[in-house]
Amino acid sequence: MHPSVDKILASNKIRHTSIREEVLGEFLGKDYAMSQPDLEKALGNQHDRVTIYRTLSLFLDKGILHKVLDDAGAMKFALCPETCSEHDHDHEHVHFKCTICGQTECFERMEVPHFTMPPGYAMQEANLLIRGTCPRCGGKG
Ligand SMILES: [Zn+2]
Ligand SMILES: [Zn+2]
Ligand SMILES: [Zn+2]
């Protein structure tokens, strides 16, 4: 088990189950975002979809994961920084998708710019996805 799995579950007062430990372990072991199908593949179909879905929802609620919009239409999920919690989970940052390997990463330090809305429009959230090539794939495109 990844050493941080215990710590994250404990600090969010989440009971240990094998699915929770495995899902969290997958995210901790990777530095890119994963969709539910990616996760199902990584876990080797040992758990049913509903259980995985519920686990992802719980982690979203608790500020352990956040949603990442993907241009392919799938919703991906990525780990939140430790500063996120159930009640403080706002961090709009830029996401970067590599068009070669297809992996999406968080640019936590790059905030989504402030947009001035036209009169009558209120912004709730902004998602910004930059597409390009990552350092691993650089030059191969
Ligand atoms: Zn968060
Ligand atoms: Zn890449
Ligand atoms: Zn992110």
Side-chain angles (χ1 to χ4, degrees):
M1 203 200 303
H2 193 287
S4 300
V5 167
D6 237 352
K7 209 179 94 193
I8 294 174
L9 291 178
S11 66
N12 287 283
K13 299 187 179 68
I14 297 174
R15 204 163 48 83
H16 280 252
T17 63
S18 68
I19 178 76
R20 290 171 186 170
E21 290 173 4
E22 284 175 49
V23 169
L24 204 47
E26 286 299 327
F27 281 102
L28 286 162
K30 301 196 169 63
D31 55 5
Y32 51 84
M34 283 189 287
S35 64
Q36 180 165 346
D38 292 339
L39 199 57
E40 286 167 9
K41 220 197 259 172
L43 297 174
N45 296 323
Q46 292 177 56
H47 301 280
D48 67 84
R49 282 171 189 194
V50 178
T51 313
I52 296 175
Y53 175 80
R54 286 201 190 122
T55 306
L56 288 170
S57 303
L58 173 73
F59 288 169
L60 281 175
D61 282 352
K62 295 286 185 182
I64 298 170
L65 296 177
H66 61 276
K67 289 181 179 176
V68 178
L69 199 69
D70 190 78
D71 61 344
M75 183 58 74
K76 290 187 172 182
F77 303 88
L79 270 185
C80 280
E82 277 184 38
T83 47
C84 268
S85 69
E86 195 170 349
H87 306 292
D88 186 11
H89 191 23
D90 289 322
H91 49 102
E92 283 173 353
H93 53 267
V94 170
H95 289 107
F96 183 91
K97 178 168 182 172
C98 175
T99 52
I100 298 177
C101 63
Q103 290 177 357
T104 307
E105 295 170 55
C106 293
F107 285 177
E108 292 279 1
R109 281 165 217 275
M110 209 185 277
E111 284 181 29
V112 172
H114 179 75
F115 297 101
T116 307
M117 293 291 109
Y121 292 85
M123 186 170 102
Q124 283 177 341
E125 57 173 56
N127 289 294
L128 184 56
L129 184 71
I130 298 176
R131 283 158 47 91
T133 51
C134 75
R136 292 177 298 274
C137 301
K140 289 185 212 157

